[in-house]
Amino acid sequence: MEWYVGVLKKYADFSGRARRKEYWMFFLINIIIGIVLGFLATILKTSILSNIYSLAVLIPGIAVCIRRLHDIGKSGWWWFIALIPLVGPIWLLVLVCTEGDSSNNQYGSNPKAVV
């Protein structure tokens, strides 16, 4: 849960680097919360909670993805590759699964070395 809260604390911080673990733990917890909110939406017959939550985590989700791209030495603009139908999301998935640079790069020091 600390990885999830850590991403939320860096709400709109698009600079620096994010480890794979930080990115994927945020992603996993978002999926779990989304399932719970979807279940509640079915029971309550309204999706307002899901919509509010989705809007609330949109900016931190994009920010952590951009920091993840920075960790592999790519510009944050690579995030837009996901907009290319079919191939784009697959390529972005490959990028976020790639191991980060083991040394410092233009976006900062290795986050694994800091921990």
Side-chain angles (χ1 to χ4, degrees):
M1 193 66 165
E2 68 188 58
W3 294 102
Y4 181 78
V5 173
V7 170
L8 292 180
K9 285 181 181 178
K10 300 176 191 173
Y11 190 83
D13 184 9
F14 296 92
S15 61
R17 295 168 62 173
R19 296 175 59 179
R20 279 186 295 186
K21 187 173 185 177
E22 179 181 2
Y23 177 82
W24 288 110
M25 291 304 286
F26 181 76
F27 185 83
L28 174 67
I29 293 172
N30 270 333
I31 294 295
I32 293 169
I33 291 172
I35 290 170
V36 170
L37 289 176
F39 181 72
L40 286 174
T42 303
I43 292 173
L44 300 174
K45 304 214 185 314
T46 181
S47 62
I48 191 75
L49 292 174
S50 300
N51 293 340
I52 291 171
Y53 178 75
S54 296
L55 286 173
V57 296
L58 178 66
I59 300 294
I62 293 171
V64 75
C65 185
I66 288 174
R67 289 195 313 270
R68 178 74 204 117
L69 290 169
H70 287 173
D71 191 41
I72 60 171
K74 301 282 187 198
S75 167
W77 292 104
W78 276 90
W79 182 82
F80 288 106
I81 200 163
L83 299 176
I84 298 172
L86 190 62
V87 176
I90 294 169
W91 186 248
L92 184 62
L93 177 65
V94 169
L95 289 175
V96 297
C97 289
T98 304
E99 172 127 19
D101 294 342
S102 60
S103 60
N104 296 345
N105 66 17
Q106 63 187 9
Y107 301 105
S109 61
N110 183 2
K112 283 186 179 180
V114 175
V115 175

